[in-house]
């Protein structure tokens, strides 16, 4: 069972999550927690201040000590961690620098404090629980600080570390930190974006759990963003592949990386609503149990830049695309959606990237133009019906006078993506949802 930062943001939420854990205690849960609320951001702010020479942990300290007081629990382990954090920040303030390795050590404090808080609260409320830092249960990673990958050996080390719990001789529910691990040298690492999801799916997959539950504040995976379309409704079942595509194209379901252990183990994932425990949520499975739905969901990503590259001089020449992609590799910029012909390539990247050097390098061999303020709207669907889906979609968009600037059908055969102006994105999502659902 994985709970994100908003689920454990304060005393009230911790009580609520504890009640959910207690409701499932007969199913022998393993619980993975993120840091409380905005703790990770506060830690990074504290690091920035420390680099400038000022040590200040007031926000982090206040949140955790006030929460412990409100929950009426004694957590000496949290006070110890706060002292260790102050020592670390003092070191950063003296050196006036923050390396990637130190940053990982620093942000690990959030998760480490939240598991100690939850375990203490459960213990006080007659539910045996034990906190674990990820490395205590065998989470070993490489040394790529800030974006570490788990090593293959975790498939063996996790079941071994939790064998007493699995065979019933240990009664305490394991409450484990998400997002962090240690490398072979015993140095703390973080698993990068979506790290807590990955921690949960890796632990569940290695233990061959009945299911992995990730608890959100919505009734599972929805047909689209309910803030854009209030008629959005839960999707009972999606495949791993569809869930990966949904996550790639803006849906806050699970990080795409976190699907990898599940695809290997076949353990299903259930997305549940922590505010509505009775709701069955959405199930993520290997294959649809019944008929494959024509359209599963519609999602959108904003902050997109379109790059059009044209080279008549290389008409029919081999190596044009190789040259183009090599420039993206050189500047470490990843491409989201692409459409190509003999002499032109249109592709999209995240607007956050600085494209100056890239466009200069491509400009040496081809004409290229970048257009900002675009959005990708993606239909997650069964591409076996792509003609009828596109017919319905384009008829509805044509009626609304909206022109699509680029279209791409993914190799996965579960998505069709289209590029529109960012200002039109929400309207396009509404029109497509109304037409396709």
């Amino acid at each position: 069972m994985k709970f994100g930062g908003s689920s454990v943001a304060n005393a009230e939420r911790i009580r609520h999550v504890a009640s959910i854990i207690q409701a499932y205690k007969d199913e022998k849960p393993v619980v993975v927690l993120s840091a409380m609320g905005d703790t990770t951001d506060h830690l990074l702010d504290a690091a920035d201040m420390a680099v400038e020479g000022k040590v200040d942990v007031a926000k982090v300290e206040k949140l955790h000590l006030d929460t412990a007081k409100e929950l009426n629990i004694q957590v000496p382990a949290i006070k110890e961690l706060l002292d260790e954090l102050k020592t670390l920040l003092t070191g950063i303030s003296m050196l006036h620098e923050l390396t990637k390795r130190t940053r990982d050590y620093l942000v690990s404090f959030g998760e480490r404090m939240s598991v100690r808080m939850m375990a203490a609260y459960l213990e006080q409320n007659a539910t045996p629980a034990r906190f674990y830092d990820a490395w205590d249960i065998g989470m070993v990673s490489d040394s790529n600080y800030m974006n570490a990958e788990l090593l293959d050996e975790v498939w063996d080390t996790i079941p071994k570390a939790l064998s007493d719990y699995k065979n019933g001789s240990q009664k305490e529910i394991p409450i484990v930190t998400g997002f962090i691990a240690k490398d072979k040298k015993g140095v703390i690492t973080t698993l990068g974006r979506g790290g807590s999801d990955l921690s949960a799916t890796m632990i569940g997959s290695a233990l061959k759990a009945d299911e992995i539950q990730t608890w959100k504040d919505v009734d599972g995976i929805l047909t689209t963003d309910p803030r854009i379309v209030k008629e959005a409704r839960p999707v009972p079942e999606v495949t791993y592949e569809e869930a990966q595509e949904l996550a790639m194209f803006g849906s806050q379901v699970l990080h795409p990386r976190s699907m990898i252990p599940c695809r290997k183990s076949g353990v299903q994932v259930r997305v549940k609503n922590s505010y509505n425990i009775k709701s069955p949520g959405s199930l993520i499975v290997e294959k649809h149990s019944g008929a494959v739905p024509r359209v599963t969901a519609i999602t959108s990503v904003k902050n997109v830049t379109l790059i059009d590259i044209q080279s008549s001089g290389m008409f029919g020449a081999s190596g044009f695309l190789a040259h183009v992609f090599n420039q993206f590799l050189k500047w470490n910029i990843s491409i989201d959606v692409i459409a190509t012909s003999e002499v032109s390539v249109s592709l999209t990247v995240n607007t956050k990237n600085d494209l100056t050097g890239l466009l200069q390098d491509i400009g040496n061999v081809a004409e290229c133009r970048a257009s900002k303020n675009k959005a990708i709207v993606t239909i997650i669907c069964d591409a076996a019906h792509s003609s009828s889906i596109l017919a319905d979609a384009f008829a509805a968009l044509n009626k609304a006078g909206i022109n699509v600037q680029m279209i791409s059908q993914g190799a996965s055969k579960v998505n069709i993506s289209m590029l529109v102006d960012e200002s039109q994105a929400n309207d396009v999502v509404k029109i497509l949802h109304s037409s396709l659902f």
Side-chain angles (χ1 to χ4, degrees):
M1 303 172 77
K2 182 255 169 178
F3 296 91
S6 61
S7 297
V8 288
N10 53 39
E12 184 194 343
R13 301 296 300 133
I14 288 171
R15 281 193 198 98
H16 182 63
V17 167
S19 71
I20 296 173
I21 295 167
Q22 286 163 331
Y24 278 89
K25 69 173 186 286
D26 294 342
E27 267 114 296
K28 298 181 70 63
V30 175
V31 179
V32 174
L33 297 185
S34 294
M36 285 181 69
D38 297 325
T39 300
T40 304
D41 290 337
H42 294 329
L43 287 166
L44 291 171
D45 291 344
D48 291 339
M49 282 194 282
V51 171
E52 299 296 318
K54 187 183 177 201
V55 174
D56 182 0
V57 293
K59 277 184 180 168
V60 176
E61 189 167 45
K62 185 174 175 6
L63 173 66
H64 289 83
L65 297 184
D66 286 0
T67 303
K69 197 173 169 186
E70 209 178 317
L71 293 171
N72 196 25
I73 51 174
Q74 298 294 318
V75 196
I78 286 182
K79 291 198 174 101
E80 284 166 30
L81 285 176
L82 285 166
D83 289 341
E84 191 184 328
L85 173 62
K86 284 174 199 164
T87 307
L88 172 63
L89 288 166
T90 305
I92 294 168
S93 72
M94 290 165 81
L95 292 168
H96 295 288
E97 72 166 356
L98 180 68
T99 61
K100 285 185 172 184
R101 175 175 163 162
T102 307
R103 185 186 180 278
D104 277 3
Y105 176 22
L106 178 89
V107 296
S108 74
F109 283 90
E111 270 71 8
R112 289 156 73 198
M113 288 194 280
S114 76
V115 297
R116 284 156 175 77
M117 188 85 75
M118 182 62 78
Y121 181 73
L122 285 166
E123 276 286 336
Q124 184 165 301
N125 287 274
T127 304
R130 185 190 300 180
F131 70 80
Y132 290 87
D133 293 325
W135 44 88
D136 299 331
I137 63 151
M139 294 286 260
V140 193
S141 76
D142 60 20
S143 304
N144 183 17
Y145 303 112
M146 285 171 63
N147 200 20
E149 292 291 348
L150 293 168
L151 302 181
D152 280 346
E153 65 194 63
V154 298
W155 289 93
D156 300 319
T157 53
I158 293 168
K160 202 169 159 189
L162 291 174
S163 60
D164 284 352
Y165 182 62
K166 201 172 178 187
N167 68 26
S169 58
Q170 176 190 322
K171 295 290 177 260
E172 299 96 343
I173 296 169
I175 313 292
V176 187
T177 57
F179 178 61
I180 57 176
K182 268 186 181 175
D183 67 10
K184 287 286 204 186
K185 292 177 251 162
V187 178
I188 295 174
T189 59
T190 62
L191 303 176
R193 284 189 56 220
S196 291
D197 286 340
L198 178 61
S199 302
T201 56
M202 188 65 246
I203 294 167
S205 294
L207 290 172
K208 298 186 174 65
D210 296 332
E211 70 179 28
I212 296 156
Q213 295 178 346
T214 177
W215 291 78
K216 306 276 179 187
D217 51 8
V218 287
D219 280 342
I221 297 165
L222 302 179
T223 48
T224 195
D225 187 336
R227 291 166 301 185
I228 300 173
V229 180
K230 63 177 188 296
E231 296 79 21
R233 56 179 189 257
V235 179
E237 184 183 79
V238 301
T239 63
Y240 296 137
E241 197 167 30
E242 288 167 343
Q244 256 181 319
E245 294 284 348
L246 271 166
M248 289 296 290
F249 290 105
S251 175
Q252 299 297 310
V253 185
L254 282 171
H255 194 274
R257 286 167 74 212
S258 66
M259 289 283 97
I260 298 166
C262 307
R263 293 186 81 161
K264 197 170 168 181
S265 66
V267 175
Q268 63 186 24
V269 180
R270 194 180 291 275
V271 183
K272 297 270 287 176
N273 186 352
S274 58
Y275 293 94
N276 183 8
I277 305 179
K278 299 274 189 289
S279 162
S282 301
L283 208 52
I284 307 175
V285 292
E286 205 163 350
K287 283 192 173 77
H288 281 288
S289 53
V292 179
R294 189 174 81 124
V295 178
T296 299
I298 295 159
T299 184
S300 62
V301 183
K302 292 174 181 165
N303 266 334
V304 171
T305 296
L306 169 67
I307 302 176
D308 289 313
I309 303 162
Q310 196 153 15
S311 178
S312 51
M314 292 194 76
F315 184 77
S318 58
F320 170 49
L321 286 177
H323 179 80
V324 168
F325 289 133
N326 272 328
Q327 305 317 312
F328 282 86
L329 178 65
K330 174 186 169 185
W331 291 97
N332 195 25
I333 293 171
S334 69
I335 296 164
D336 294 322
V337 172
I338 181 165
T340 176
S341 74
E342 190 80 65
V343 291
S344 69
V345 188
S346 293
L347 41 83
T348 68
V349 296
N350 188 310
T351 301
K352 278 194 305 214
N353 294 304
D354 178 6
L355 303 175
T356 321
L358 171 76
L359 296 174
Q360 226 164 4
D361 282 356
I362 295 174
N364 293 333
V365 295
E367 292 169 39
C368 68
R369 189 176 70 250
S371 316
K372 290 186 172 178
N373 303 321
K374 304 293 177 191
I376 301 166
V377 177
T378 299
I379 304 168
I380 305 295
C381 59
D382 178 6
H385 301 288
S386 59
S387 295
S388 78
I389 293 164
L390 286 170
D392 291 347
F394 281 119
L397 292 171
N398 182 44
K399 195 174 168 189
I402 291 173
N403 275 319
V404 169
Q405 295 159 34
M406 170 181 160
I407 184 160
S408 173
Q409 185 170 321
S412 65
K413 301 292 179 272
V414 298
N415 90 52
I416 297 169
S417 293
M418 48 188 78
L419 191 80
V420 294
D421 285 334
E422 195 169 77
S423 58
Q424 299 173 318
N426 288 2
D427 288 338
V428 170
V429 170
K430 285 176 193 164
I431 290 162
L432 293 179
H433 194 274
S434 161
S435 162
L436 298 172
F437 286 102

